[in-house]
Amino acid sequence: MAVSLGLEDVFIKYTGLTFIDGNAGVLRYRGYDINDLVQNTGFEEVCYLMTNGELPNSQQLAEFKKSVKEHYKLPDHVMELISDLPREADTLTMMETAFASLSSGDYQWNKENDRKQVPKILGENLGIISNIYRHKMGMGLQNPDPKYDYAEAFLRNCFGNADEKKISAMNAALVIYVDHEVPASTTAALVASSTLSDMYSCITAATAALKGPLHGGAAEAAYKQLLDIGNVDNVENWFKTNILDGKRRLMGFGHRVYRTYDPRMKIFKKLATTLEQTDEQKKLFEIAVKLEELGVKEFGGKGIYPNTDYYSGIVFNEIGFPIYMFTTLFGFSRVLGWLSHITEYVEEEERLIRPRAVYTGPDKRDFVKMQDRK
């Protein structure tokens, strides 16, 4: 009996959320190309689109934004919990802990309730992630200002202010990372939701999966790789020594689905050039471009190209975030994708996810008492 390790090419649900053509490098949310959405929408519009299936009109968008902003303020116990966590703790662990603390055992799934929960959780999500950053930086915790839209409110709560270019880049990053079908974290959320567990517990399960280095952490690894190279003049020698001769993995390259350029990577690469760069950031970008050229030349024929995480760390750092926040910023955006998938699954095709395993152990054996064992 054949087993598909890693559930590769196993379809576990029908979805109207995200379309991927890995050979052509196409990504669409609800039928809209990722490039069009990044260029023409705010994150809240995409939230409404993913939740309701259509882009909102002005009144619908205003009402949705209002619902989200009403929940920027976190419950006192969540603020106290974050502030009590060790500052040296991993930021995804903090995120996981905060969402688990919001879990409610009396949640009942139904379409009306689900639609109300999504903007509530998105608002709380902003409060959680921005205050995790504040806690890590040794700043006092504070609730985001509801007079600002999502990306701006987030950056202002993290840094105190934000210019238009950084707000635009943060908005784009949020849209880019919203969803990508059913990777490991989304699958974990779906498994939890199939038991009819509450939304917060599903997000907690997804975040636990995201913590693993084979899923989350790619942006951090790709960025650290650039730091390791150090200078654009070192790229060719580093590539030969570490990748060609040393057989190390080129971080930020390759994807389970894409066999060409990841369209999200192209957007992040362009974003990196629109933000003001320090001399160090300019150097890292030049290293990344040169390394990309060598990587594509060597591996492109095998369908291995840069993925979305290759340049995203550069963008996050240019916005102002340290390396330890990169994967949590991925999760900050992906909460919307997790919510969209679990509501779609429970509302349209709910069935307990219970796969099987192929037994490879011994045949029936007679029990041997302790005194008779060798």
Side-chain angles (χ1 to χ4, degrees), residues 7 18 24 32 43 48 68 73 125 129 139 214-215 247 276 284 300 341 365 368:
L7 298 180
T18 299
Y32 293 99
F43 179 64
Y48 187 97
V68 174
K73 185 180 187 299
N125 183 36
I129 306 304
M139 300 185 289
L214 294 184
H215 182 23
K247 305 301 180 184
E276 291 185 15
L284 291 177
H341 274 283
R365 298 190 286 185
V368 180

Side-chain angles (χ1 to χ4, degrees), residues 309-363:
D309 298 308
Y310 188 76
Y311 284 102
S312 66
I314 293 177
V315 172
F316 287 142
N317 185 252
E318 289 175 0
I319 291 173
F321 290 105
I323 295 175
Y324 62 73
M325 284 296 295
F326 291 176
T327 305
T328 303
L329 292 171
F330 174 114
F332 177 42
S333 169
R334 189 56 61 88
V335 164
L336 171 61
W338 296 335
L339 290 171
S340 301
H341 274 283
I342 63 179
T343 53
E344 180 184 59
Y345 185 77
V346 173
E347 291 175 4
E348 298 181 14
E349 52 193 282
E350 195 279 320
R351 182 173 174 82
L352 179 67
I353 296 175
R354 201 291 189 195
R356 297 293 307 279
V358 177
Y359 179 71
T360 60
D363 289 336

